[in-house]
Amino acid sequence: MKASTLARLQAERAAKRPVVLLTRLSDGAQLLWPGDDMPAALVEASKAALGSEEAGNVTLADETWFVHPHNPPLRIIVVGAVHIAQAMAPMAAPLGFAMVVVDPRRAFASEERLPGVTLSTDWPDEAMEALAPDARTAVVTLTHDPKLDDPALDAALKSEAFYIGALGSRRTHAKRIARLTELGHNAEAMGRIHAPVGLNIEAITAPEIALSIMAEIVAARRGAALGAVRPIPGVAA
């Protein structure tokens, strides 16, 4: 690999931007997508590789290219080191997600309660700025405390996070929407919030709620139709 190509690849990965390295097997010539000019068929192959997250060969005009996607890591940022977060933790890694739990309450955000999970005891606004949610990040707020949840949701709505979920009843969410409106978010932006969080499986226990959240995150990541947005009392459709 040329030094210039390697430098570009490393820069894209450091910036957490998806990039595809294409190598022509006949002579080792390499291209990066996006960035380099290439036939439309290779562009489509690159997009498909990023979507499937699988490397493979593509033959175009009697030339075979090895298409290797480099996606940023999948992450779940959870605000609130509560029982539901504890139940989500062992589900995240097998599904391909690195999980970060944010909670300034050190009695909750402890290694004993969440072994093997990355913990942040910063306040959510500071933690979200440092974590910088991207298009491969899901954000879930679980505390019911506006002082913790609202700053995280504010930051998430300003980001490219592919999923944003918030625990709470429809009435709680209506109050949350009013507060976020005061922060300058419009109805379209707040329509990104899945609330009540999780697929409707009539979950009651913490593990059941955790399962419903993880299922909805996977569905959002895979582009599944999640149905109509739940109506919010007092908010016009």
Side-chain angles (χ1 to χ4, degrees), residues 166-177:
L167 186 67
S169 66
R170 293 171 66 240
R171 180 173 298 179
T172 296
H173 189 52
K175 295 178 180 178
R176 179 187 294 131
I177 289 294

Side-chain angles (χ1 to χ4, degrees), residues 3-24:
S4 58
T5 301
L6 177 60
R8 289 170 57 203
L9 176 61
Q10 291 176 329
E12 293 300 303
R13 297 186 65 181
K16 295 181 180 178
R17 290 190 289 261
V19 63
V20 179
L21 176 66
L22 301 98
T23 304
R24 190 162 55 196

Side-chain angles (χ1 to χ4, degrees), residues 12 85 98 119 159 165 170 174 214:
E12 293 300 303
L119 300 174
S159 77
R170 293 171 66 240
M214 294 304 302

Side-chain angles (χ1 to χ4, degrees), residues 11-227:
E12 293 300 303
R13 297 186 65 181
K16 295 181 180 178
R17 290 190 289 261
V19 63
V20 179
L21 176 66
L22 301 98
T23 304
R24 190 162 55 196
L25 299 185
S26 61
D27 59 4
Q30 293 183 312
L31 299 172
L32 285 179
W33 185 88
D36 291 333
D37 291 332
M38 62 186 69
L42 289 183
V43 171
E44 292 306 312
S46 298
K47 293 178 180 179
L50 286 174
S52 67
E53 301 190 71
E54 294 183 356
N57 292 338
V58 172
T59 300
L60 175 64
D62 297 326
E63 293 182 339
T64 300
W65 293 79
F66 181 67
V67 183
H68 187 184
H70 293 266
N71 265 319
L74 286 165
R75 295 183 297 165
I76 301 175
I77 300 173
V78 177
V79 177
V82 296
H83 293 312
I84 296 171
Q86 288 180 291
M88 289 173 65
M91 302 181 194
L95 294 172
F97 291 89
M99 183 166 158
V100 181
V101 175
V102 177
D103 199 321
R105 303 169 297 182
R106 295 176 183 272
F108 288 85
S110 67
E111 177 65 24
E112 292 74 22
R113 298 186 72 250
L114 288 156
V117 174
T118 300
L119 300 174
S120 170
T121 54
D122 292 336
W123 282 90
D125 54 346
E126 298 172 346
M128 294 292 282
E129 182 178 359
L131 292 168
D134 57 21
R136 300 267 292 173
T137 306
V139 177
V140 180
T141 63
L142 299 175
T143 75
H144 287 294
D145 186 343
K147 295 191 302 296
L148 300 178
D149 286 356
D150 286 6
L153 291 171
D154 180 35
L157 289 172
K158 294 174 182 175
S159 77
E160 296 182 356
F162 76 87
Y163 175 90
I164 304 171
L167 186 67
S169 66
R170 293 171 66 240
R171 180 173 298 179
T172 296
H173 189 52
K175 295 178 180 178
R176 179 187 294 131
I177 289 294
R179 295 192 302 270
L180 292 172
T181 299
E182 292 180 358
L183 292 176
H185 297 288
N186 60 28
E188 181 180 0
M190 291 184 292
R192 297 171 60 195
I193 303 175
H194 296 264
V197 69
L199 293 180
N200 183 10
I201 59 172
E202 304 298 338
I204 296 176
T205 67
E208 290 173 348
I209 296 170
L211 175 63
S212 75
I213 294 171
M214 294 304 302
E216 191 169 53
I217 289 173
V218 171
R221 180 198 167 205
R222 296 301 188 186
L226 294 177

